[in-house]
Every structure is written in C-alpha cells, then in structure tokens.
Amino acid sequence: MSYIRRRKAPANPVRNEEEKEKEKKVKARTIKGEKIRKWSCMDGCCWFIGMICSIWWFLLFLYNAMPASFPQYVTEAITGPLPDPPGVKLSKEGLTAEHPVVFVPGIVTGGLELWEGRQCADGLFRKRLWGGTFGELYKRPLCWVEHMSLYNETGLDRPGIRVRPVSGLVAADYFAPGYFVWAVLIANLARIGYEEKNMYMAAYDWRISFQNTEVRDRSLSRIKSNIELMVATNGGKKVVVIPHSMGVLYFLHFMKWVEAPAPMGGGGGSDWCAKHIKAVMNIGGPFLGVPKSVAGLFSIEARDIAVARTFAPGFLEKDVFGLQTLQHLMRMTRTWDSTMSMIPKGGDTIWGSLDWSPDVSYNCSVKKRKNNDTHNAYQNDKESLGLMKNISYGRLISFGKDIAELHSSKLERLDFRGALKGRNLANTSNCDVWTEYHDMGVEGIKAVTDYKAYTADSVLDLLHFVAPKMMKRGDAHFSYGIADDLDDEKYKHYKYWSNPLETTLPNAPDMEIYSMYGVGIPTERAYVYKLTPQSECYIPFQIDTSANGGNEYSCLRDGVYSSDGDETVPVLSAGFMCAKGWRGRTRFNPSGIRTFIREYDHAPPANLLEGRGTQSGAHVDILGNFALLEDIIRVAAGASGEDLGGDRVHSEIFKWSEKIILDL
C-alpha cells in the first residue's frame, strides 16, 4: 500500500489569531449556558425548598408569637362562643380531686417498646415498636412484623425477642403525635387538682392473654399493688377505675383474679374490691364481644379493608415492597391471643339465630345530626320495620346476599365440621407467607362455603376449623358461653373471668358499675362473604362489597350489616349487662352492685376547627366527649350515679334486652 504525502499550507498568523478569539467567545458562551442550566436544575430546587422552609418557619414564628387565645378567637368567630372544657367548668364550680383514678387502656392503644430483638432491630433498644411515630414500620416492615408477632405455640415471646409495654401516663395518652387517647381526660382531671400521685395508667401488653400478662410481666400484681398504694396514700379514698374498650374485659378479669387465692389469683380475698374500688366507669366496653373480631380473625378485614380490596383488587395480597400485606397481618395478629377475648359471647341466645335477632329494628337511614340537635333519631316507623322484617343479624357470616335473606327453612347446608382438609392441595411452594389456610386445601375451603350461614354458636366451630392453632390457645384462656350453674367448681378457672355470662361480680354492694358508650353510628354487626379466586396461596374468603341493600332503610352497605353502636362495639354488647344482666340482684350480680347506663348521642364536628369533636360518640373519639368527661370528673370528685341523674339512654337497649330470654 502506498501513501501520498501532502504538503501543509503555510500558517496564516492573522487568521489563526482571529479563529482563536472566536473559539474563546463560543466556549465562554457555552460555559455560561451550562452554568445557567446547572443553576436552573440544582440551585433552583434548593432555592424553592429554601423558600418553602423560610415561609414555614416564618408562619411558625407568627403562630408562636401570637396570643394563645388567637386560634380559639378564630374558631369562635366562625362557630360562636365555645363552652369551657369540663375541667375548667367544674373547677369553677368548686370541684377538687377526691378519689384516685386508674386508667385501663384497650387493645392497640397502649405503646410497646423493644427490650431485646434480632439483628435487624439493632439500635432500637427501648424504642417504640407500637405507638408514637411508627417510623420503624416504614423503615423495616418485615423486621417489625417479626418483632410484633408472638410464638404461635404459646402466645408468648418468640426466642430472642422481648417487646414490653411502655409505663406511665405516656403509655397511652397519645396513640400517635396529635392523635389523643387519654390525654384530654388527663388534662381535664388536672384542672381540678389531679396529678401523677393520684392518677395511674394500668399499662399492659395488649397482645397476650389476660392471665399471661401476669405470668410474664406481673401486670395484674402491679395493678393490685398500685391501687392499694393509691388508697393508702390518699386518705383511704377508694379508686375510680376507668377502663376503655378491651380494657373493660381485662379489668373484669382482674376483679376475679384479685379475689382468687394464689397461685392462680392475687390472694386479695373476697372483700378486696369492696375495700378499694368506688366505681368502675367502663367506656365503650365490648362486654359480650364484637362481630368485628370475627371478620378480623376470619379474613383479616372489616368494612374499610374490604372496600380497599375492591378498589385495588389483589394489591394487598400481592408482594408490594416485599410484603404480602394481608397474609403478613393475618399471620401476626393470629398470634395475639387477646383478640380472642372479643369473639361474641352468649351464642345465639344473645346475638340471634338464623331467623331472629334482638336488635334488627335499627334504622340506618337516619342522617347524622348537627350539634345540639335533640331530635330522637331512633324512632323507626312501621314502613322501615316492614322493609327489614326478613333480615336477621343472627347470621354473623353469610356466603351471598341471597343466603343472608333466605328463610332458614329453605337453606340447604352441608356440615363442614367433619370435612377433610388438605385434599387436592395445590403446590404451595410459591406462597411467600404461610397461613393456616394453606393447610385446608380445596375441599376444606369448599366445605366452609357449603355451610352457607353462621350464627354466634357455629362461628366458634368455624374458627376452630380454619384456625385450629389459634383457637387451641384461645380455649385455654377464654370462654364464650352462658353458665348454667355459677357455683360449679369449673368457673373458678381464669378462662371464665372475662366473660360476664360465666362469672359473678365482686361482693361489693357499695361499688358502682357504669356502662358508658356512644350511639347513633352504624356499627358492624354481620357480614356477607364470597370466595376469593386463587384460594391456595391467598386468603380464600373476603367480604363481598358488591352486596348492598335494596332500600333506603337497609343496613346492608358494602357487604356489611350495621346496627346501632359506636362504630366498633354494638349497643347490644356495650349495654346489655348493665341494662339487664347485672341490673338489680341477679345470679351474675349477687351483691346487687348498682349499675348505670350513660349513652352519648353521636354528633360529628361541625367544622375542621373542632378537630375530632366534643360530642363524638365514636369508639376512641368519645374520650374527648365533653359530656362523658364531665360525668367521669364528677364521679372522681365524689358524685354517685344518682347524682348524675341515673341512666341516660338514647338507644333501644332496654327494649332489645327484654327480647333476650336469659335465666337471671
């Protein structure tokens, strides 16, 4: 190959200088443009964020600099003058702290912190895993689920993990920042002179069975000793106990435990409650359980979750950010034995049969009323009752809307209890999260749907069939029946102590028991279910949100039948014992302890400035209800039930209670 060499043209010095100068100008313009673009992309964002932060801090400065009464001034300008908080009002009347008070929180509202954990939980010693900001849930969800779960065989700690309840008033004053639980009541009690020396939060691990809180943490002994100390250091004044939600059942258990001889009980003797307790003011108490617990244990859902699954089908079941959400939640919550304390008690006698239920007359077409509206919304006309006559809330679970409405004489049911499990079981190796449903197989799942309708009696058999490990633990700690003979020796066992239909109240005739709860909110009472596709790897059953009532009076919405209540606990459960079961001297209340029903008619907040409202009857928000707070403060300051005016009833609880045939 040959190459041709060409001579280079001689350089032109003038031209070279001009070209260099031109290149410098172009380069300068290019560099300047790049700088402008870089500033636009980076500095512009920083400037914008900085401006937002500056505005935020400026507004925060103004808020802190303004008079404390300014937000109240704005609210009053819109809504009119606000009433004094109960603590301020009663302080002006001259009320002062009299009886020590004990708060007993319910399920999920008390904080839990880590004392020992696995490697994934490094750096979290004594940090909250439940309550507070829930920051660790978002950072390491699988680790959080692992540490919040208990050992499936015992219902106690898993090896290498210790999660314990937070102590003190901070254990349950706020559930999360800005979301109060007990904080409003504590603040109002402080207005008449209360402080930590005469207030006590009886915190406990709400995940484990009531008796196991004593076995593992000595929680019942701590309550006993703290009450004794408070009585001794407050001039012998008896305590006023204020349980909320599941805490109501927990304290029922405590009152039997403290009387019972050791080692099963606290050894306080039969007169301990009479000596130490003035009143038990139960708030939102699920005395006879809640149907919501059945849906939670059966398919890890209630109305809200069911609707979410409808709008985003498969989303909660699929692997989202490393979580098959519902399966993980089911596996975790089925290790929490306390949830079984809220399975409906009293069977069909209380909750109704296939064709009958005591509370079917509730009218769900009633509109929410504004504050101070005294209209009684519970008067149901003949037309609404006629349209609802074929409905029975006694069918807690029905597979299909038609099954929910069909007369029992036309129901053809196949008994599931003898069905074989595991037949035709598909390959479950692709199931990322194991649940007990994976052991049932196609035949077991089909047997559940073939039974078609479940009442309170058969629901227990259903749960034993679909969750045998869980219910085996539950049978050792809780009961759900009605005692024939309360003198039977078997009722001395702790498994009966939280069931008011299988135990007796203490021998304390001077003590008072209150049932305080919200009414006027449709509350989950029964469910319409359907079979879920891909049942081998998925939770095979879900609420059928397409099932809705056919008229304006119907209480069937999104697959859920509703009755009167506080959105969580139906009136029937919250009110029956004080309305009838314990009213006067009965076999469940042999010493004749006085009982009072105090209902709080729900009125939602009129505007956003009212927050969660001062007249709310909702299950947790009621702890900020001014009327309820005033009742509690008056009793703590020395008043009796008669001083409050006796019963205050808005619902049909007395009418419904009379329909229940029970030997008293």
Side-chain angles (χ1 to χ4, degrees), residues 158-399:
R158 301 176 71 185
I161 294 176
R162 282 186 294 152
V163 175
R164 297 293 182 264
V166 177
S167 60
L169 295 179
V170 296
D173 54 353
Y174 289 91
F175 177 65
Y179 190 88
F180 72 82
V181 184
W182 295 95
V184 176
L185 176 55
I186 291 170
N188 277 274
L189 284 165
R191 291 283 193 172
I192 67 166
Y194 280 91
E195 50 191 273
E196 283 208 80
K197 69 182 180 183
N198 49 13
M199 288 193 291
Y200 167 60
M201 182 71 71
Y204 60 98
D205 189 338
W206 43 262
R207 299 173 301 161
I208 62 181
S209 70
F210 302 159
Q211 190 69 7
N212 274 343
T213 65
E214 174 65 15
V215 171
R216 196 193 71 180
D217 301 335
R218 300 292 183 264
S219 295
L220 298 173
S221 292
R222 291 171 183 269
I223 296 174
K224 176 177 181 284
S225 60
N226 273 284
I227 289 177
E228 290 171 345
L229 178 63
M230 293 173 80
V231 171
T233 56
N234 284 276
K237 298 291 185 181
K238 299 178 186 179
V239 300
V240 172
V241 184
I242 312 166
H244 173 247
S245 189
M246 191 186 75
V248 168
L249 302 179
Y250 186 66
F251 198 74
L252 271 181
H253 182 97
F254 170 82
M255 287 193 293
K256 296 303 293 184
W257 172 88
V258 77
E259 293 180 335
M264 187 182 294
S270 60
D271 60 348
W272 191 93
C273 292
K275 289 179 178 178
H276 295 90
I277 303 175
K278 165 187 163 54
V280 184
M281 307 190 77
N282 302 289
I283 304 173
F287 288 105
L288 302 179
V290 288
K292 208 172 190 176
S293 68
V294 174
L297 294 171
F298 186 51
S299 61
I300 198 63
E301 63 183 340
R303 186 199 303 271
D304 296 339
I305 297 295
V307 171
R309 291 176 77 179
T310 301
F311 282 116
F315 179 81
L316 291 174
E317 291 92 342
K318 290 181 179 177
D319 192 358
V320 181
F321 306 119
L323 281 173
Q324 286 183 298
T325 310
L326 286 182
Q327 284 89 333
H328 276 290
L329 287 176
M330 173 170 281
R331 191 172 181 182
M332 177 178 70
T333 57
R334 280 192 177 179
T335 68
W336 296 352
D337 288 354
S338 64
T339 59
M340 289 179 279
S341 71
M342 293 185 290
I343 294 174
K345 302 174 177 68
D348 294 3
T349 300
I350 299 294
W351 295 95
S353 61
L354 290 173
D355 296 316
W356 171 86
S357 54
D359 53 340
V360 75
S361 60
Y362 179 62
N363 183 356
C364 290
S365 71
V366 174
K367 305 296 183 184
K368 291 284 191 295
R369 295 167 310 289
K370 296 180 180 179
N371 293 353
N372 302 318
D373 185 353
T374 59
H375 174 67
N376 185 348
Y378 302 96
Q379 299 302 317
N380 298 288
D381 57 32
K382 294 180 180 179
E383 182 182 5
S384 67
L385 290 175
L387 289 168
M388 294 186 291
K389 65 182 180 180
N390 293 326
I391 304 301
S392 172
Y393 292 156
R395 306 181 192 194
L396 297 184
I397 289 178
S398 302
F399 278 93

Side-chain angles (χ1 to χ4, degrees), residues 419-453:
L420 295 177
K421 295 182 183 180
R423 295 176 60 191
N424 303 322
L425 188 64
N427 182 8
T428 59
S429 60
N430 294 325
C431 300
D432 295 332
V433 186
W434 177 90
T435 69
E436 289 182 275
Y437 280 126
H438 298 158
D439 293 338
M440 289 182 60
V442 174
E443 293 300 320
I445 291 167
K446 184 176 182 297
V448 170
T449 60
D450 285 344
Y451 195 69
K452 294 185 173 58

Side-chain angles (χ1 to χ4, degrees), residues 461-586:
D461 294 325
L462 171 65
L463 293 175
H464 277 92
F465 187 75
V466 302
K469 289 185 177 180
M470 178 189 74
M471 292 302 292
K472 181 180 179 181
R473 298 193 314 272
D475 288 342
H477 289 275
F478 302 107
S479 69
Y480 311 102
I482 300 174
D484 293 325
D485 179 9
L486 285 166
D487 293 327
D488 192 320
E489 285 294 312
K490 74 175 185 179
Y491 293 114
K492 293 182 179 180
H493 192 273
Y494 59 76
K495 68 177 288 183
Y496 300 101
W497 292 347
S498 61
N499 181 356
L501 297 173
E502 293 190 287
T503 192
T504 59
L505 290 177
N507 182 25
D510 295 330
M511 193 172 82
E512 294 180 335
I513 292 184
Y514 296 77
S515 189
M516 314 169 79
Y517 53 89
V519 297
I521 309 179
T523 301
E524 296 178 34
R525 179 66 169 82
Y527 302 89
V528 175
Y529 268 84
K530 67 179 181 180
L531 191 64
T532 306
Q534 297 176 295
S535 58
E536 292 299 340
C537 278
Y538 290 71
I539 297 171
F541 311 109
Q542 70 179 89
I543 296 172
D544 184 1
T545 55
S546 68
N548 286 288
N551 62 75
E552 63 176 306
Y553 302 105
S554 174
C555 289
L556 177 60
R557 298 281 188 277
D558 301 320
V560 180
Y561 284 101
S562 297
S563 184
D564 196 3
D566 68 0
E567 206 168 35
T568 296
V569 183
V571 164
L572 194 63
S573 179
F576 174 78
M577 292 309 297
C578 281
K580 183 174 181 179
W582 289 331
R583 183 63 55 131
R585 195 180 297 271
T586 71

